[in-house]
Amino acid sequence: DRRLIPRSRVSTNPRADHIATPRDLAKLVRAWQETGEAPQVAIAWPRDRWVSSFDRHRSMLRSLPDTLDRATIRAVAAKATDSETATEAAVVATMAWGFGWVGYGPHRTHQMLHSTPDAVARLRRVALAVRNESAVVAYGLLARDCRIKGLGPALLPCVDLGRLAHLGVLIV
């Protein structure tokens, strides 16, 4: 929410190449890194609901542990740039973790992936931008050229695509 960030710290130019990180957020991330990136408590998740909604990713979903945590999702997301199938697998795993036991998680994720033509190709383009350019460029793509109906900016840090792995989960 732009209202939470002082106006002087946010560019009003939608094509800006750089948006400053709020100082408090940067401090929190540094402190987390300095303490060894303390792990997040793993959460239980309804595997069968996700498998029945995403048969294409049955094997990946079945291979995940009964509880999901940041490290587990990072392992899946580390391959997100390999192919569109790997990108979609990273998104599905991330959403399973993000939604936890929320009953509509698989439905919302399925809608998001199928409501925009070439959604997975767009997400792969975002993943490649994180890996090859920067998170700022990737967020810009999500906001413009790679916009996907039903997907907000929360996904990017959650998935930890490519170089964002050191930040961990900021939202979701």
Side-chain angles (χ1 to χ4, degrees):
D1 187 350
R2 292 173 63 104
R3 292 171 297 181
L4 299 177
I5 303 170
R7 187 172 278 288
S8 63
R9 301 280 297 159
V10 178
S11 171
T12 56
N13 177 356
R15 299 275 182 204
D17 292 332
H18 179 73
I19 299 172
T21 302
R23 273 180 248 138
D24 290 343
L25 177 59
K27 281 185 198 175
L28 287 171
V29 171
R30 273 194 304 278
W32 176 69
Q33 290 170 328
E34 289 167 2
T35 60
E37 299 181 14
Q40 176 194 24
V41 174
I43 60 146
W45 63 293
R47 179 192 325 269
D48 291 338
R49 272 193 242 153
W50 286 89
V51 169
S52 68
S53 294
F54 296 96
D55 189 61
R56 176 180 182 183
H57 300 292
R58 174 182 296 273
S59 176
M60 180 275 298
L61 291 166
R62 292 260 181 237
S63 74
L64 296 175
D66 292 337
T67 57
L68 300 176
D69 62 7
R70 181 179 293 121
T72 300
I73 300 308
R74 279 184 178 172
V76 177
K79 301 173 187 161
T81 58
D82 291 356
S83 67
E84 286 188 11
T85 299
T87 301
E88 185 175 272
V91 170
V92 169
T94 299
M95 297 307 244
W97 178 45
F99 278 111
W101 277 96
V102 174
Y104 56 77
H107 174 73
R108 288 262 174 97
T109 302
H110 190 272
Q111 275 186 319
M112 182 260 300
L113 289 171
H114 294 93
S115 65
T116 301
D118 72 342
V120 175
R122 291 175 186 215
L123 289 168
R124 183 160 187 254
R125 185 172 167 205
V126 170
L128 289 165
V130 171
R131 186 187 72 191
N132 299 329
E133 298 176 63
S134 72
V136 173
V137 171
Y139 271 115
L141 286 171
L142 278 176
R144 293 182 292 276
D145 298 348
C146 294
R147 189 173 195 101
I148 296 170
K149 184 178 179 183
L151 176 67
L155 174 76
L156 193 61
C158 189
V159 176
D160 294 329
L161 300 172
R163 296 186 323 200
L164 276 185
H166 69 282
L167 291 177
V169 174
L170 302 176
I171 336 173
V172 171

